[in-house]
Amino acid sequence: MSKPARKRLSVVGLTGLTALTLAACGGGDPSSAGSDGAADAIAVAATDDACDVASSDLEAGVHQFTVTNTGSKVTEFYVYADGDRVMGEVENIAPGVARELRVELPAGDYETACKPGMVGDGIRTALTVTGEAATLDQDATLAQAGTDYQRYVQSQTGALVEQTTAFVDAVKAGDIAGAKALFPVARTYWERIEPVAESFGDLDPVIDGREGDQAEGEDFTGFHRIEKALWETGDVSDMGPYADQLLTDVQEIATRSNDVQLSPLQLANGAKGLLDEIATGKITGEEDRYSHTDLWDFAANLEGSEAAVQALRPYLEEADPELVGEIDDRFAATEAELEQHRAGDGWQSYDQLTDDQLRGLSDSITALTESVSQVASVVAGK
Amino acid sequence: MSSDGLSRRRFFGLAGAGTAGVLAAGAAGGVIGRATAEEPATAAVAATDAVPFSGAHQAGIVTPAQDRLHFVAFDVITDDRAELVEMLQAWTAAARRMTAGQDAGEVGAVDGGQYDVPDDTGEALGLPASGLTLTVGFGPTLFSTADGVDRFGLAARRPEPLTELPGFPGDAIDPAISGGDLCVQACANDPQVAVHAVRNLVRLGAGVVSVRWSQLGFGRTSSTSSAQATPRNLFGFKDGTDNLKAEAPKALDQFVWVADGDPGADWLAGGSYVVTRRIRMRIEPWDTSTLAEQEATIGRTKKAGAPLGQRGEFDPVDFTTQVDGEFAVPQTSHVFLAHPTNSGTAILRRGYSFVDGSDGLGRLDAGLFFIAYQRDPGTGFVQVQKNLRMDAMNEYIQHTSSAVFACPPGVTGDDDWWGRALFS
């Protein structure tokens, strides 16, 4: 198992809030942003106990970090703004591999972090960025949110296809243990962007439908069909066609999702919708009824919700800073509640949780949902 | 029990015949007897009217018992005193509005923007205030947790009588539906109004409190005013005939309201303690028992509610009356043992019938959600209940939950809030 669901918001390769300045400079895809002033690559030497960043002072603008993992554990690299707001992240950096992260940083104080083993707060280093901070008016800030979130979705669909491919390969090879380990990993990327994926009403049921939800004459397919075979019978010899179809459908939804740009209101509703997913499907153990890997999905939904809120954050910080503070506190409280159930690189099995523990998780989600539900009103331009 | 051979006809025939006087009325009984008769009934109000929220005492205690109940107990899930205070203030504001028949929030269920989350859930739109009362209480665990942790700096302010109730013989208490750091008793003449109130308070408490348990009640089982007819409980008997009532302020002062000089009076004077017990009735055995057995168990007639040996519901209970050499009101009957004369105290009962569906064996999961208010639980409910060890009714009931809360006095002005004196 190489990819745990993580505590923090994932904004893979996303320039985050600061893509704003790109727009101000006339837009442009950050992957070809050399002309926008991308600085030279900044080397990051990551090991199991060190995270050496070549520069601790930068000019405001787009920067590229090249993270080389010479340790023995899979690692991640983050750039955090105040309050551990993720400005950029690259994940799943295997030992011996180098990965790149492009991120635009306005003037301010940041921290970089490597996370060997992909858990905990990571190895932190201060990073100071000087220069002029770009400012946008509120409308432009809001308009940028959809673009930022689209980049997040793209980063997730890439990983979704990658991990689903690995899962499908394991199923077809009859590698039960390997497939079981990859099942919650592949689903993590699905669950993070579920509101977007669910907007494709024809594909969601065949990818993520649960047994018994099919219309008469429809076959039970997708992740949960294979989950049932893996955990109930341990026999996946007849799962080949389902595995192939799953990958085809996931590739299709990834392609379609990449073109989706959500309005601020859709983002707000999506952030809340992901929390509702937790309350109705994960707290109850209904989602992964055979594997009991529900907490992986819980974590992924939570990260996805936070990502949607983060995309709106520059606007929200202007429009309703008090609400932002409350949302931050409640995301942190929910994450702390969830963190108690971490097991190794992943999460405890749902059926190991006591009623009291479930209630703790439920209470934290209830509170968070009350706060996140207020976002729609704020972005609707009151 | 030993009363199988008695019949109602014989009661009527021999009423008042025996006056052996073995049981002289105790001092408490004498006081109550005088006190409960001292004032005329207050004027009845319409079931749809609003009950004033502010006052020296919280509404919902001596307020004439409404028909419907939604009782809810909460655990406080934050350790932040300021958050708790803020919630109590928000609760008070919402309670003030809802008891006046208004929406929970200032904007309302349907008057906000299309993309606002409504600050009221809306199911009470168009419904009158319906006599809604919301009564708050603070449990022992608010002051210090079961592990002795003083989360809110309140441990020193816990009045000594506010302590978990002792166990009683025959109890089958389920901790999951017992106790709690806070409670709210919502009573109304329309069940939807009561449920709406609780639902909106729960929403306002998100992140601060978590519902620990809740109980719906569908029919009052007590009168708390002499203006009210005595209702019947699920045993089919009139209940609450000799209850403490609003028209007897001296008895209320003696037995219900915490007074200056009592423990915790600095914040609790004018308040009261509420004890709740979910009492499951063994409906099927009861329904197949003879009328004589039922009447001997209760100590009253089923039709009129008269004390055995008497004719009318409000005829004085005379424990000295004998029939054929036996006491007309059997010494193991509920009335005999629970009556102030023999328990030496009095409590204000305000319970509700409940039916929580069936129990999986085809039997009604039903009974009486007992609520009682008193000046001190130790000399109130606990004293009464200790006296019920030999109660013939025990054969037909089982207590399945237990809780106790201290209910602060009423809020007095528009800026006052539930618990202000405690948290000041």
Side-chain angles (χ1 to χ4, degrees):
Chain A
M1 170 178 341
S2 61
K3 181 64 197 80
R6 299 170 338 276
K7 182 181 166 191
R8 284 287 165 198
L9 158 68
S10 164
V11 193
V12 187
L14 163 59
T15 58
L17 330 164
T18 55
L20 314 174
T21 39
L22 274 183
C25 297
D29 180 347
S31 63
S32 60
S35 59
D36 289 327
D40 295 338
I42 301 155
V44 180
T47 67
D48 290 350
D49 52 14
C51 184
D52 296 326
V53 182
S55 177
S56 60
D57 291 286
L58 299 172
E59 288 289 311
V62 178
H63 294 278
Q64 177 173 307
F65 295 85
T66 302
V67 187
T68 307
N69 183 7
T70 57
S72 65
K73 297 176 180 172
V74 178
T75 195
E76 298 170 328
F77 178 73
Y78 288 79
V79 180
Y80 288 121
D82 260 1
D84 280 5
R85 184 152 56 87
V86 177
M87 303 300 290
E89 177 212 343
V90 58
E91 59 189 272
N92 208 18
I93 311 169
V97 169
R99 299 279 290 267
E100 293 183 348
L101 169 67
R102 297 180 70 85
V103 57
E104 179 161 1
L105 299 171
D109 292 326
Y110 301 89
E111 280 186 333
T112 56
C114 296
K115 292 190 185 177
M118 303 200 291
V119 294
D121 286 343
I123 304 161
R124 304 282 183 117
T125 310
L127 177 67
T128 305
V129 177
T130 50
E132 276 187 33
T135 55
L136 289 180
D137 66 29
Q138 289 202 340
D139 287 348
T141 305
L142 206 48
Q144 187 63 35
T147 308
D148 286 354
Y149 186 73
Q150 188 178 22
R151 291 205 179 90
Y152 174 71
V153 171
Q154 287 166 358
S155 73
Q156 298 303 305
T157 54
L160 173 63
V161 171
E162 193 179 304
Q163 296 295 337
T164 304
T165 302
F167 171 63
V168 161
D169 287 348
V171 170
K172 292 172 72 178
D175 175 7
I176 300 288
K180 282 184 167 180
L182 284 163
F183 172 78
V185 177
R187 288 187 57 76
T188 291
Y189 300 100
W190 168 265
E191 292 286 338
R192 282 183 187 156
I193 57 166
E194 202 170 0
V196 175
E198 279 187 349
S199 68
F200 302 107
D202 53 338
L203 286 174
D204 177 50
V206 296
I207 292 173
D208 199 31
R210 299 177 203 166
E211 186 173 21
D213 289 350
Q214 292 71 31
E216 189 151 345
E218 281 178 5
D219 196 9
F220 170 36
T221 62
F223 276 119
H224 296 304
R225 173 69 185 243
I226 301 171
E227 177 199 6
K228 185 181 183 186
L230 283 169
W231 271 274
E232 288 251 295
T233 63
D235 176 7
V236 292
S237 56
D238 57 349
M239 284 294 115
Y242 291 104
D244 286 337
Q245 188 60 45
L246 174 63
L247 184 56
T248 302
D249 292 338
V250 162
Q251 284 167 332
E252 169 69 13
I253 216 161
T255 304
R256 288 201 223 167
S257 297
N258 287 346
D259 295 330
V260 173
Q261 180 147 2
L262 299 181
S263 73
L265 197 58
Q266 286 173 316
L267 274 177
N269 291 334
K272 193 222 174 231
L274 278 161
L275 301 179
D276 292 342
E277 288 281 338
I278 295 173
T280 57
K282 280 71 178 187
I283 293 279
T284 58
E286 290 172 35
E287 180 75 48
D288 302 308
R289 62 183 73 162
Y290 312 109
S291 62
H292 305 304
T293 54
D294 302 88
L295 285 193
W296 293 72
D297 293 27
F298 184 125
N301 285 161
L302 190 64
E303 290 156 356
S305 177
E306 196 167 8
V309 172
Q310 294 285 7
L312 294 165
R313 188 181 190 101
Y315 176 79
L316 293 175
E317 281 185 336
E318 289 296 314
D320 195 341
E322 195 182 335
L323 179 62
V324 172
E326 187 180 274
I327 288 174
D328 282 351
D329 287 348
R330 289 180 165 179
F331 265 116
T334 307
E335 286 159 356
E337 196 72 36
L338 181 62
E339 194 62 25
Q340 298 172 24
H341 308 300
R342 187 178 282 288
D345 284 347
W347 302 96
Q348 270 185 300
S349 178
Y350 177 84
D351 54 4
Q352 293 172 359
L353 300 175
T354 66
D355 285 350
D356 274 353
Q357 290 171 333
L358 287 173
R359 193 170 150 210
L361 290 167
S362 179
D363 284 343
S364 64
I365 286 293
T366 300
L368 176 59
T369 306
E370 279 288 344
S371 301
V372 170
S373 72
Q374 308 293 326
V375 171
S377 169
V378 179
V379 301
K382 285 195 51 169
Chain B
M1 305 211 25
S2 62
S3 52
D4 290 354
L6 297 181
S7 75
R8 197 172 44 157
R9 189 155 42 83
R10 286 171 63 202
F11 279 87
F12 286 145
L14 296 167
T19 50
V22 250
L23 285 160
V31 170
I32 297 155
R34 287 192 301 275
T36 51
E38 72 191 38
E39 281 191 12
T42 52
V45 292
T48 52
D49 285 353
V51 173
F53 178 69
S54 302
H57 310 297
Q58 288 197 70
I61 301 176
V62 300
T63 304
Q66 303 93 323
D67 287 336
R68 308 289 182 150
L69 169 77
H70 193 174
F71 194 100
V72 59
F74 299 89
D75 290 332
V76 179
I77 56 173
T78 179
D79 291 341
D80 185 335
R81 180 181 164 122
E83 280 186 6
L84 177 58
V85 164
E86 197 178 327
M87 183 203 72
L88 288 168
Q89 291 167 339
W91 270 8
T92 310
R96 186 177 279 118
R97 282 191 288 266
M98 291 190 288
T99 53
Q102 300 164 353
D103 286 354
E106 287 169 3
V107 176
V110 291
D111 294 328
Q114 283 293 301
Y115 299 107
D116 296 345
V117 179
D119 63 11
D120 181 281
T121 53
E123 71 273 28
L125 282 174
L127 298 178
S130 305
L132 175 68
T133 55
L134 294 166
T135 313
V136 74
F138 303 131
T141 47
L142 183 71
F143 297 81
S144 58
T145 65
D147 308 334
V149 180
D150 181 7
R151 292 184 291 170
F152 306 111
L154 295 175
R157 306 203 68 183
R158 181 183 64 81
E160 182 271 330
L162 182 63
T163 182
E164 300 297 348
L165 300 180
F168 299 98
D171 277 2
I173 303 301
D174 177 359
I177 54 171
S178 296
D181 298 333
L182 295 173
C183 76
V184 173
Q185 171 197 279
C187 296
N189 293 311
D190 182 329
Q192 185 134 324
V193 170
V195 168
H196 166 263
V198 167
R199 178 176 168 189
N200 280 272
L201 294 181
V202 168
R203 264 197 79 194
L204 284 169
V208 181
V209 293
S210 174
V211 173
R212 180 177 176 85
W213 55 269
S214 69
Q215 180 71 50
L216 288 170
F218 67 84
R220 67 182 170 92
T221 62
S222 283
S223 299
T224 56
S225 164
S226 48
Q228 291 185 294
T230 310
R232 291 182 188 272
N233 62 28
L234 291 184
F235 280 151
F237 277 73
K238 292 186 178 179
D239 199 345
T241 299
D242 271 351
N243 202 11
L244 290 176
K245 289 177 181 168
E247 294 79 7
K250 284 183 185 165
L252 297 177
D253 285 343
Q254 182 172 353
F255 293 109
V256 175
W257 305 125
V258 174
D260 288 335
D262 287 355
D266 58 319
W267 66 270
L268 192 54
S272 188
Y273 294 89
V274 64
V275 167
T276 70
R277 308 276 290 185
R278 182 182 185 277
I279 304 175
R280 180 164 178 195
M281 292 176 171
R282 293 174 171 136
I283 296 286
E284 290 76 11
W286 177 261
D287 290 348
T288 49
S289 61
T290 64
L291 183 61
E293 158 76 2
Q294 293 181 4
E295 292 186 333
T297 299
I298 301 298
R300 288 182 180 276
T301 64
K302 200 167 188 178
K303 183 176 182 181
L308 295 184
Q310 311 289 334
R311 288 178 179 276
E313 181 191 349
F314 294 99
D315 288 351
V317 182
D318 180 0
F319 295 121
T320 62
T321 302
Q322 287 198 342
V323 178
D324 284 354
E326 291 187 33
F327 293 108
V329 178
Q331 296 189 20
T332 56
S333 71
H334 185 67
V335 163
F336 183 94
L337 294 168
H339 195 272
T341 304
N342 293 326
S343 67
T345 188
I347 52 181
L348 184 145
R349 286 166 287 155
R350 213 175 192 287
Y352 286 83
S353 293
F354 70 85
V355 176
D356 293 344
S358 304
D359 68 357
L361 298 174
R363 308 177 302 194
L364 278 182
D365 185 3
L368 191 153
F369 187 70
F370 175 92
I371 300 174
Y373 287 87
Q374 58 255 286
R375 183 173 172 182
D376 180 335
T379 55
F381 172 77
V382 172
Q383 185 172 325
V384 174
Q385 187 65 17
K386 277 183 178 166
N387 214 40
L388 299 183
R389 195 171 59 82
M390 299 303 291
D391 188 350
M393 205 170 76
N394 292 342
E395 195 177 328
Y396 299 102
I397 60 170
Q398 189 162 48
H399 289 231
T400 59
S401 84
S402 180
V404 60
F405 304 91
C407 303
V411 296
T412 50
D414 288 348
D415 297 329
D416 200 4
W417 45 277
W418 281 340
R420 182 183 48 79
L422 173 60
F423 286 91
S424 295

PDB file of all heavy atoms in Angstrom, chain B residues 213-234:
ATOM      1  N   TRP B 213     -29.594  11.716  24.833  1.00  0.00           N
ATOM      2  CA  TRP B 213     -30.808  10.918  24.673  1.00  0.00           C
ATOM      3  C   TRP B 213     -31.981  11.866  24.604  1.00  0.00           C
ATOM      4  O   TRP B 213     -31.859  13.044  24.966  1.00  0.00           O
ATOM      5  CB  TRP B 213     -30.989   9.913  25.819  1.00  0.00           C
ATOM      6  CG  TRP B 213     -30.976  10.498  27.213  1.00  0.00           C
ATOM      7  CD1 TRP B 213     -29.888  10.647  28.019  1.00  0.00           C
ATOM      8  CD2 TRP B 213     -32.092  11.026  27.962  1.00  0.00           C
ATOM      9  NE1 TRP B 213     -30.253  11.237  29.208  1.00  0.00           N
ATOM     10  CE2 TRP B 213     -31.598  11.467  29.207  1.00  0.00           C
ATOM     11  CE3 TRP B 213     -33.462  11.161  27.697  1.00  0.00           C
ATOM     12  CZ2 TRP B 213     -32.420  12.040  30.183  1.00  0.00           C
ATOM     13  CZ3 TRP B 213     -34.271  11.727  28.674  1.00  0.00           C
ATOM     14  CH2 TRP B 213     -33.744  12.153  29.906  1.00  0.00           C
ATOM     15  N   SER B 214     -33.091  11.389  24.121  1.00  0.00           N
ATOM     16  CA  SER B 214     -34.283  12.225  24.122  1.00  0.00           C
ATOM     17  C   SER B 214     -35.502  11.335  24.251  1.00  0.00           C
ATOM     18  O   SER B 214     -35.442  10.139  23.993  1.00  0.00           O
ATOM     19  CB  SER B 214     -34.369  13.104  22.868  1.00  0.00           C
ATOM     20  OG  SER B 214     -34.621  12.324  21.726  1.00  0.00           O
ATOM     21  N   GLN B 215     -36.583  11.941  24.676  1.00  0.00           N
ATOM     22  CA  GLN B 215     -37.799  11.171  24.927  1.00  0.00           C
ATOM     23  C   GLN B 215     -39.004  11.987  24.498  1.00  0.00           C
ATOM     24  O   GLN B 215     -39.150  13.143  24.898  1.00  0.00           O
ATOM     25  CB  GLN B 215     -37.913  10.826  26.420  1.00  0.00           C
ATOM     26  CG  GLN B 215     -39.149  10.035  26.786  1.00  0.00           C
ATOM     27  CD  GLN B 215     -39.100   8.598  26.265  1.00  0.00           C
ATOM     28  OE1 GLN B 215     -38.112   7.903  26.480  1.00  0.00           O
ATOM     29  NE2 GLN B 215     -40.132   8.173  25.567  1.00  0.00           N
ATOM     30  N   LEU B 216     -39.860  11.367  23.706  1.00  0.00           N
ATOM     31  CA  LEU B 216     -41.135  11.977  23.351  1.00  0.00           C
ATOM     32  C   LEU B 216     -42.211  11.481  24.303  1.00  0.00           C
ATOM     33  O   LEU B 216     -42.206  10.312  24.691  1.00  0.00           O
ATOM     34  CB  LEU B 216     -41.531  11.599  21.923  1.00  0.00           C
ATOM     35  CG  LEU B 216     -40.745  12.249  20.795  1.00  0.00           C
ATOM     36  CD1 LEU B 216     -41.091  11.577  19.474  1.00  0.00           C
ATOM     37  CD2 LEU B 216     -41.047  13.739  20.707  1.00  0.00           C
ATOM     38  N   GLY B 217     -43.110  12.365  24.676  1.00  0.00           N
ATOM     39  CA  GLY B 217     -44.266  11.957  25.470  1.00  0.00           C
ATOM     40  C   GLY B 217     -45.521  12.491  24.803  1.00  0.00           C
ATOM     41  O   GLY B 217     -45.521  13.601  24.295  1.00  0.00           O
ATOM     42  N   PHE B 218     -46.566  11.689  24.781  1.00  0.00           N
ATOM     43  CA  PHE B 218     -47.730  12.108  24.000  1.00  0.00           C
ATOM     44  C   PHE B 218     -48.943  12.477  24.835  1.00  0.00           C
ATOM     45  O   PHE B 218     -49.928  12.975  24.316  1.00  0.00           O
ATOM     46  CB  PHE B 218     -48.122  11.038  22.975  1.00  0.00           C
ATOM     47  CG  PHE B 218     -48.633   9.761  23.588  1.00  0.00           C
ATOM     48  CD1 PHE B 218     -49.962   9.645  23.962  1.00  0.00           C
ATOM     49  CD2 PHE B 218     -47.784   8.689  23.795  1.00  0.00           C
ATOM     50  CE1 PHE B 218     -50.437   8.470  24.523  1.00  0.00           C
ATOM     51  CE2 PHE B 218     -48.248   7.523  24.356  1.00  0.00           C
ATOM     52  CZ  PHE B 218     -49.578   7.409  24.729  1.00  0.00           C
ATOM     53  N   GLY B 219     -48.915  12.252  26.106  1.00  0.00           N
ATOM     54  CA  GLY B 219     -50.080  12.623  26.905  1.00  0.00           C
ATOM     55  C   GLY B 219     -49.644  12.899  28.325  1.00  0.00           C
ATOM     56  O   GLY B 219     -48.910  12.113  28.930  1.00  0.00           O
ATOM     57  N   ARG B 220     -50.074  14.020  28.864  1.00  0.00           N
ATOM     58  CA  ARG B 220     -49.669  14.352  30.227  1.00  0.00           C
ATOM     59  C   ARG B 220     -50.270  13.342  31.193  1.00  0.00           C
ATOM     60  O   ARG B 220     -51.364  12.823  30.966  1.00  0.00           O
ATOM     61  CB  ARG B 220     -50.092  15.780  30.583  1.00  0.00           C
ATOM     62  CG  ARG B 220     -51.590  16.010  30.680  1.00  0.00           C
ATOM     63  CD  ARG B 220     -51.888  17.476  30.983  1.00  0.00           C
ATOM     64  NE  ARG B 220     -53.315  17.753  30.853  1.00  0.00           N
ATOM     65  CZ  ARG B 220     -54.187  17.685  31.883  1.00  0.00           C
ATOM     66  NH1 ARG B 220     -53.755  17.350  33.090  1.00  0.00           N
ATOM     67  NH2 ARG B 220     -55.455  17.947  31.691  1.00  0.00           N
ATOM     68  N   THR B 221     -49.569  13.064  32.252  1.00  0.00           N
ATOM     69  CA  THR B 221     -50.071  12.116  33.251  1.00  0.00           C
ATOM     70  C   THR B 221     -50.227  12.783  34.604  1.00  0.00           C
ATOM     71  O   THR B 221     -50.360  12.117  35.617  1.00  0.00           O
ATOM     72  CB  THR B 221     -49.109  10.925  33.413  1.00  0.00           C
ATOM     73  OG1 THR B 221     -47.846  11.421  33.873  1.00  0.00           O
ATOM     74  CG2 THR B 221     -48.919  10.199  32.110  1.00  0.00           C
ATOM     75  N   SER B 222     -50.186  14.119  34.609  1.00  0.00           N
ATOM     76  CA  SER B 222     -50.394  14.830  35.870  1.00  0.00           C
ATOM     77  C   SER B 222     -51.129  16.126  35.603  1.00  0.00           C
ATOM     78  O   SER B 222     -51.029  16.687  34.508  1.00  0.00           O
ATOM     79  CB  SER B 222     -49.061  15.169  36.547  1.00  0.00           C
ATOM     80  OG  SER B 222     -48.509  14.039  37.161  1.00  0.00           O
ATOM     81  N   SER B 223     -51.821  16.583  36.611  1.00  0.00           N
ATOM     82  CA  SER B 223     -52.317  17.954  36.598  1.00  0.00           C
ATOM     83  C   SER B 223     -51.379  18.756  37.475  1.00  0.00           C
ATOM     84  O   SER B 223     -50.991  18.310  38.551  1.00  0.00           O
ATOM     85  CB  SER B 223     -53.721  18.026  37.183  1.00  0.00           C
ATOM     86  OG  SER B 223     -54.594  17.245  36.410  1.00  0.00           O
ATOM     87  N   THR B 224     -51.008  19.934  37.006  1.00  0.00           N
ATOM     88  CA  THR B 224     -50.213  20.817  37.854  1.00  0.00           C
ATOM     89  C   THR B 224     -51.002  22.064  38.185  1.00  0.00           C
ATOM     90  O   THR B 224     -50.464  23.036  38.670  1.00  0.00           O
ATOM     91  CB  THR B 224     -48.895  21.195  37.159  1.00  0.00           C
ATOM     92  OG1 THR B 224     -49.218  21.769  35.889  1.00  0.00           O
ATOM     93  CG2 THR B 224     -48.016  19.983  36.955  1.00  0.00           C
ATOM     94  N   SER B 225     -52.295  22.029  37.903  1.00  0.00           N
ATOM     95  CA  SER B 225     -53.189  23.129  38.254  1.00  0.00           C
ATOM     96  C   SER B 225     -54.548  22.538  38.570  1.00  0.00           C
ATOM     97  O   SER B 225     -54.990  21.585  37.911  1.00  0.00           O
ATOM     98  CB  SER B 225     -53.304  24.109  37.084  1.00  0.00           C
ATOM     99  OG  SER B 225     -54.427  24.959  37.283  1.00  0.00           O
ATOM    100  N   SER B 226     -55.206  23.103  39.560  1.00  0.00           N
ATOM    101  CA  SER B 226     -56.531  22.595  39.904  1.00  0.00           C
ATOM    102  C   SER B 226     -57.551  22.976  38.840  1.00  0.00           C
ATOM    103  O   SER B 226     -58.688  22.527  38.866  1.00  0.00           O
ATOM    104  CB  SER B 226     -56.954  23.090  41.290  1.00  0.00           C
ATOM    105  OG  SER B 226     -56.734  24.477  41.389  1.00  0.00           O
ATOM    106  N   ALA B 227     -57.132  23.808  37.851  1.00  0.00           N
ATOM    107  CA  ALA B 227     -58.023  24.133  36.747  1.00  0.00           C
ATOM    108  C   ALA B 227     -58.064  23.000  35.721  1.00  0.00           C
ATOM    109  O   ALA B 227     -58.875  23.015  34.805  1.00  0.00           O
ATOM    110  CB  ALA B 227     -57.552  25.419  36.067  1.00  0.00           C
ATOM    111  N   GLN B 228     -57.147  22.055  35.849  1.00  0.00           N
ATOM    112  CA  GLN B 228     -57.066  20.982  34.863  1.00  0.00           C
ATOM    113  C   GLN B 228     -57.787  19.730  35.350  1.00  0.00           C
ATOM    114  O   GLN B 228     -57.761  19.411  36.549  1.00  0.00           O
ATOM    115  CB  GLN B 228     -55.591  20.596  34.623  1.00  0.00           C
ATOM    116  CG  GLN B 228     -54.785  21.661  33.913  1.00  0.00           C
ATOM    117  CD  GLN B 228     -53.381  21.166  33.605  1.00  0.00           C
ATOM    118  OE1 GLN B 228     -52.595  20.918  34.504  1.00  0.00           O
ATOM    119  NE2 GLN B 228     -53.093  21.010  32.325  1.00  0.00           N
ATOM    120  N   ALA B 229     -58.390  19.028  34.390  1.00  0.00           N
ATOM    121  CA  ALA B 229     -58.925  17.704  34.711  1.00  0.00           C
ATOM    122  C   ALA B 229     -57.750  16.753  34.883  1.00  0.00           C
ATOM    123  O   ALA B 229     -56.691  16.943  34.278  1.00  0.00           O
ATOM    124  CB  ALA B 229     -59.824  17.228  33.588  1.00  0.00           C
ATOM    125  N   THR B 230     -57.943  15.748  35.730  1.00  0.00           N
ATOM    126  CA  THR B 230     -56.871  14.787  35.956  1.00  0.00           C
ATOM    127  C   THR B 230     -56.827  13.797  34.786  1.00  0.00           C
ATOM    128  O   THR B 230     -57.846  13.205  34.449  1.00  0.00           O
ATOM    129  CB  THR B 230     -57.104  14.025  37.263  1.00  0.00           C
ATOM    130  OG1 THR B 230     -57.369  14.976  38.299  1.00  0.00           O
ATOM    131  CG2 THR B 230     -55.890  13.191  37.625  1.00  0.00           C
ATOM    132  N   PRO B 231     -55.682  13.664  34.137  1.00  0.00           N
ATOM    133  CA  PRO B 231     -55.590  12.740  33.000  1.00  0.00           C
ATOM    134  C   PRO B 231     -55.383  11.295  33.468  1.00  0.00           C
ATOM    135  O   PRO B 231     -55.112  11.045  34.644  1.00  0.00           O
ATOM    136  CB  PRO B 231     -54.345  13.233  32.280  1.00  0.00           C
ATOM    137  CG  PRO B 231     -53.473  13.752  33.385  1.00  0.00           C
ATOM    138  CD  PRO B 231     -54.406  14.324  34.431  1.00  0.00           C
ATOM    139  N   ARG B 232     -55.514  10.374  32.554  1.00  0.00           N
ATOM    140  CA  ARG B 232     -55.239   8.972  32.869  1.00  0.00           C
ATOM    141  C   ARG B 232     -53.887   8.583  32.272  1.00  0.00           C
ATOM    142  O   ARG B 232     -53.539   9.018  31.171  1.00  0.00           O
ATOM    143  CB  ARG B 232     -56.337   8.072  32.299  1.00  0.00           C
ATOM    144  CG  ARG B 232     -57.681   8.246  33.004  1.00  0.00           C
ATOM    145  CD  ARG B 232     -58.740   7.305  32.440  1.00  0.00           C
ATOM    146  NE  ARG B 232     -60.061   7.632  33.004  1.00  0.00           N
ATOM    147  CZ  ARG B 232     -60.526   7.100  34.156  1.00  0.00           C
ATOM    148  NH1 ARG B 232     -59.806   6.214  34.819  1.00  0.00           N
ATOM    149  NH2 ARG B 232     -61.719   7.451  34.609  1.00  0.00           N
ATOM    150  N   ASN B 233     -53.168   7.757  32.978  1.00  0.00           N
ATOM    151  CA  ASN B 233     -51.922   7.234  32.430  1.00  0.00           C
ATOM    152  C   ASN B 233     -52.215   5.926  31.682  1.00  0.00           C
ATOM    153  O   ASN B 233     -53.380   5.542  31.517  1.00  0.00           O
ATOM    154  CB  ASN B 233     -50.874   7.053  33.539  1.00  0.00           C
ATOM    155  CG  ASN B 233     -51.313   6.047  34.588  1.00  0.00           C
ATOM    156  OD1 ASN B 233     -52.082   5.123  34.305  1.00  0.00           O
ATOM    157  ND2 ASN B 233     -50.839   6.223  35.818  1.00  0.00           N
ATOM    158  N   LEU B 234     -51.180   5.249  31.223  1.00  0.00           N
ATOM    159  CA  LEU B 234     -51.407   4.058  30.392  1.00  0.00           C
ATOM    160  C   LEU B 234     -51.888   2.858  31.202  1.00  0.00           C
ATOM    161  O   LEU B 234     -52.280   1.848  30.623  1.00  0.00           O
ATOM    162  CB  LEU B 234     -50.143   3.703  29.592  1.00  0.00           C
ATOM    163  CG  LEU B 234     -49.777   4.707  28.490  1.00  0.00           C
ATOM    164  CD1 LEU B 234     -48.567   4.208  27.693  1.00  0.00           C
ATOM    165  CD2 LEU B 234     -50.946   4.956  27.534  1.00  0.00           C
TER     166      LEU B 234
END
